[in-house]
């Protein structure tokens, strides 16, 4: 983008030189047109959403500067055309198109300048008359947008042509009416999203249409309600199938659609508690079996889900000590059920209370395994990785980080998840 802006500025300067004493037609510095970017600082932004908003603002400002500059260049290309210097008019118009191929007026002017320069005997009036004839033929065939484009080509060559201007306005109204009609038809079939797309297109033309705004507002609410119900239903189904992680994600999706939705908030809190306790239970079982690395990995994951850090840090410290301690001598008086014990202090050391194992919900959470990874864990790891990709593509970096962290914990050998986590750190660092 920067390169394009520089090129455009150079074109403008060259145009000024070509006119000699004639000053470039300048629209003036519109109030508030240029954003004071010095007031922003990425370093003070902690939330991903804030950084995304900042970068989007910069991108919009760059685009506005480019559009403004290209507009000046186009005005000067048109002046060359009116003076009969068709070659330079064409060159400037082509330069605009190299930067912005969608600049329709520049394309029309380039074609017209080429035609006038090549066939000087053909008058401008004859060319405009032919374009109007084409426009009328297209209009009669019901091809409204193409007809309007033809009239706009006339205005690109002769901006004062009132007949073409009236036809553009007339077709605008008919296009808006057609969009409105299509929106009504889609709405009657309960295809609310398509209806919204059509009505928004109409609103771009009929900006002050209160009735249209009312229809859009009503449909937006219906779409939102439908999305909310779908997310809640998905959350219940995932929970019923024993997939608590997916259930939690579904209720979080519902909260994004409707922040503060009571049931979604309640279920999310209960699921966080259940998932955390599920990982605690898996860690306790691993500790009892002498799989200390597995126990630590599960307890670390339980911390991520809000389980009491003090209790888990003590358990992790004890597991690290047990892992590095020499094997105990055999005894015939041992009580309890293994390294972790069942309650109180046995297996953990005096004064230590083991993490609570009983979860609120019935749970089938996967065990985080630091050694051999089961096929089930590999499958679940890949699913979490795919969810992370979707979140990353949606620029929801926090969700992507959580999913890829889960993927790594389920399968430490998931190198794709590790790469994704590094990518997130690089993105947020920028």
């Amino acid at each position: 983008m920067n390169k394009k802006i520089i090129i455009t500025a150079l074109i403008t300067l060259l145009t000024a030189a070509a006119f000699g004493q004639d000053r470039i037609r300048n629209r003036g510095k519109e109030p508030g047109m240029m954003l004071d970017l010095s007031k922003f600082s990425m370093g003070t932004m902690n939330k991903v959403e804030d950084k995304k908003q900042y970068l989007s603002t910069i991108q919009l400002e760059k685009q506005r500067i480019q559009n403004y500059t290209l507009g000046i260049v186009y005005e000067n290309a048109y002046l060359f055309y009116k003076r009969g210097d068709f070659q330079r008019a064409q060159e400037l118009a082509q330069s605009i198109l190299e930067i912005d191929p969608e600049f329709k007026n520049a394309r029309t002017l380039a074609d017209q300048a080429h035609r006038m320069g090549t066939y000087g005997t053909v008058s401008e009036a004859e060319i405009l008359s032919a374009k109007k004839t084409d426009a009328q033929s297209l209009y009669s065939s019901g091809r409204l947008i193409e007809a309007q484009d033809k009239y706009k080509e006339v205005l690109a060559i002769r901006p004062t042509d009132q007949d073409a201007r009236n036809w553009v306005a007339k077709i605008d109204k008919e296009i808006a009416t057609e969009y409105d009609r299509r929106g009504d038809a889609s709405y009657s079939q309960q295809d609310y999203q398509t209806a919204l797309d059509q009505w928004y297109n109409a609103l771009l033309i009929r900006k002050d249409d209160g009735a249209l705004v009312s229809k859009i507002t009503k449909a937006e609410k219906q779409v939102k309600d439908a999305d909310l119900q779908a997310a809640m239903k998905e959350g219940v189904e995932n929970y019923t199938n024993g997939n608590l992680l997916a259930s939690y994600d579904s209720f979080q999706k519902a909260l994004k659609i409707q922040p503060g939705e009571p049931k979604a908030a309640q279920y999310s809190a209960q699921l966080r508690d259940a998932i955390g306790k599920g990982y605690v239970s898996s860690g306790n079982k691993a500790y009892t079996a002498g799989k200390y690395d597995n126990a630590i990995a599960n307890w670390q994951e339980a911390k991520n889900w809000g389980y009491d850090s003090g209790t888990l840090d003590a358990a992790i410290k004890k597991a690290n000590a047990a892992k590095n301690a020499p094997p105990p001598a055999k005894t015939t008086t041992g009580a309890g059920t293994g390294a972790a014990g069942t309650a109180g202090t046995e297996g953990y050391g005096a004064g230590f209370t083991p993490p609570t194992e009983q979860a609120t919900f019935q749970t089938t959470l996967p065990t985080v395994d630091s050694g051999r990874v089961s096929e089930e864990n590999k499958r679940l790891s890949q699913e979490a990785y795919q969810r992370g990709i979707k979140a990353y593509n949606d620029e929801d970096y926090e969700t992507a980080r959580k999913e890829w962290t889960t993927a790594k914990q389920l399968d430490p050998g998931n190198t794709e998840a590790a790469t994704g986590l590094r990518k997130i750190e690089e993105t947020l660092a920028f």
Side-chain angles (χ1 to χ4, degrees), residues 192-204:
Y192 302 131
Q193 190 57 61
T194 300
L196 282 171
D197 292 341
Q198 298 294 333
W199 285 337
Y200 274 120
N201 284 331
L203 192 64
L204 289 173

Side-chain angles (χ1 to χ4, degrees), residues 249 301 304 380-394 396-412 414-425 427:
D249 287 343
E301 181 62 17
N304 293 336
L380 293 171
S381 174
Q382 194 60 28
E383 288 179 0
Y385 172 69
Q386 293 298 330
R387 290 195 299 272
I389 288 179
K390 183 179 184 306
Y392 184 84
N393 289 337
D394 292 340
D396 185 354
Y397 300 125
E398 292 303 324
T399 298
R401 190 209 302 271
K402 183 171 81 75
E403 293 292 356
W404 286 337
T405 299
T406 300
K408 275 287 292 176
Q409 289 166 340
L410 288 165
D411 179 6
N414 191 330
T415 56
E416 293 173 320
T419 301
L421 289 169
R422 286 196 300 271
K423 183 67 176 175
I424 285 178
E425 296 307 321
T427 301

Side-chain angles (χ1 to χ4, degrees), residues 252-286:
Q252 286 295 297
K253 187 194 304 181
L255 287 172
K256 284 185 178 180
I257 298 169
Q258 181 65 57
E261 205 290 323
K263 288 186 178 180
Q266 176 189 350
Y267 295 156
S268 291
Q270 290 177 336
L271 280 162
R272 279 184 65 83
D273 181 68
I275 291 168
K277 288 178 178 178
Y279 279 115
V280 167
S281 178
S282 295
N284 289 350
K285 292 174 183 177

Side-chain angles (χ1 to χ4, degrees), residues 4-24:
K4 291 181 178 179
I5 294 173
I6 292 171
I7 292 173
T8 307
L10 289 174
I11 293 172
T12 307
L13 292 174
L14 290 172
T15 305
F19 273 105
Q21 293 184 348
D22 290 335
R23 299 187 64 181
I24 296 176

